[in-house]
Amino acid sequence: MDETSRTRRIAQEYVDRTERRDWDGLSALLDEHVVYEMPQTRERFHGRPTFLRFNQEYPGDWHLRARRVVADGRHAALWVDARVGDEAMDACVWLDLSEDGLITRVTDYWPTSYEPPADRGYPVERW
Amino acid sequence: MDETSRTRRIAQEYVDRTERRDWDGLSALLDEHVVYEMPQTRERFHGRPTFLRFNQEYPGDWHLRARRVVADGRHAALWVDARVGDEAMDACVWLDLSEDGLITRVTDYWPTSYEPPADRGYPVERW
């Protein structure tokens, strides 16, 4: 398996094992010193234990599904469909992997909905 | 050049030509029926002319730089550093390409800053 194929598989597993609350399985994908960043709140955590705890303690009956996995060498981008009850939210997740195929950095974006301008002056569909 | 290398180059050019206001060059990357979606406002535009107009009319002295390009077959993800004056914002952009290497779909996310919980109960760095 080439590097990109391995990255693609690991990125998919990252979402699937988190969704399954398979903490041992998730832990096995992470580098010991994994860095987790949320640029929207300018927060950064270090290390596998804190990373796992953040996920384990995240409130609500959340569910994750990878809508798209884009892998390129030791980088991956995940387009994630996240749901808590009836509420759906998309996440954009950037993964960095080590030479050994362990996740060394996770950068999460959680874009929220907002209202568009009243009139853009050209045809726009809304859904 | 293989498909992924072509996609990677086109994704980089997509940002660079937009930054240069090279509208003819940007147009040449787009499928005639390109679809542009912003899930945060649930807006969708169709076609090259509207796509170009949206960019041409976007207010402010904006600047774009691809921080990361992840390409995989006919999909790409762009992590973009966008600036208007002193204000910086990250964008997450998902590109779909046709067999001919034209961009058929652009999905843009513009995540905004927000305040984190006061105390997560474990060590967190802020920047």
Side-chain angles (χ1 to χ4, degrees):
Chain A
M1 183 153 42
D2 67 14
E3 197 170 57
T4 292
S5 303
R6 184 178 70 174
T7 298
R8 197 183 294 117
R9 184 178 56 75
I10 290 166
Q12 180 71 54
E13 284 294 328
Y14 169 78
V15 178
D16 292 348
R17 293 180 191 184
T18 306
E19 165 61 18
R20 289 202 305 270
R21 279 68 170 164
D22 173 7
W23 306 121
D24 289 343
L26 177 60
S27 184
L29 301 176
L30 304 173
D31 184 84
E32 185 186 346
H33 303 292
V34 60
V35 176
Y36 178 75
E37 288 193 353
M38 287 187 286
Q40 290 169 274
T41 56
R42 304 182 312 285
E43 287 179 292
R44 184 185 294 123
F45 312 147
H46 289 267
R48 214 189 270 141
T50 305
F51 187 93
L52 291 170
R53 192 169 155 193
F54 172 68
N55 281 279
Q56 286 162 351
E57 296 181 358
Y58 202 90
D61 180 28
W62 48 264
H63 291 283
L64 305 177
R65 183 179 63 82
R67 178 183 295 187
R68 184 175 294 183
V69 180
V70 184
D72 194 351
R74 287 197 250 145
H75 289 150
L78 282 163
W79 185 356
V80 174
D81 178 332
R83 286 170 196 268
V84 182
D86 290 339
E87 208 181 333
M89 206 169 171
D90 296 339
C92 300
V93 182
W94 304 88
L95 300 181
D96 294 20
L97 275 72
S98 69
E99 208 173 327
D100 302 336
L102 294 170
I103 297 171
T104 56
R105 182 176 291 262
V106 178
T107 309
D108 258 15
Y109 287 93
W110 293 92
T112 49
S113 299
Y114 61 94
E115 283 306 305
D119 180 14
R120 291 205 185 259
Y122 40 83
V124 179
E125 281 176 28
R126 298 292 306 281
W127 78 86
Chain B
M1 182 156 39
D2 68 13
E3 197 169 60
T4 291
S5 303
R6 183 178 69 173
T7 298
R8 197 183 295 116
R9 185 179 54 77
I10 290 166
Q12 180 72 53
E13 284 293 329
Y14 169 77
V15 178
D16 292 346
R17 294 181 190 186
T18 306
E19 165 61 17
R20 289 201 304 270
R21 279 66 169 164
D22 172 7
W23 307 120
D24 290 342
L26 176 59
S27 184
L29 300 176
L30 304 173
D31 185 83
E32 186 186 344
H33 304 292
V34 60
V35 177
Y36 178 75
E37 287 193 352
M38 286 185 287
Q40 289 168 275
T41 57
R42 306 181 310 287
E43 287 180 291
R44 184 184 295 122
F45 312 146
H46 289 268
R48 214 189 270 141
T50 306
F51 187 93
L52 291 171
R53 193 169 154 193
F54 172 69
N55 282 278
Q56 286 162 351
E57 295 182 357
Y58 203 90
D61 180 29
W62 47 264
H63 291 283
L64 306 176
R65 184 180 62 83
R67 179 183 294 186
R68 184 175 295 183
V69 179
V70 185
D72 194 351
R74 288 199 250 145
H75 289 152
L78 280 163
W79 186 355
V80 174
D81 178 333
R83 287 170 195 266
V84 181
D86 289 340
E87 209 181 332
M89 206 170 172
D90 296 340
C92 300
V93 182
W94 303 87
L95 300 181
D96 293 21
L97 274 72
S98 69
E99 208 174 326
D100 302 335
L102 293 171
I103 297 170
T104 57
R105 184 176 289 262
V106 178
T107 309
D108 258 17
Y109 287 94
W110 292 93
T112 49
S113 299
Y114 61 93
E115 283 306 304
D119 181 13
R120 292 204 184 259
Y122 40 83
V124 179
E125 283 176 26
R126 299 291 308 280
W127 78 85

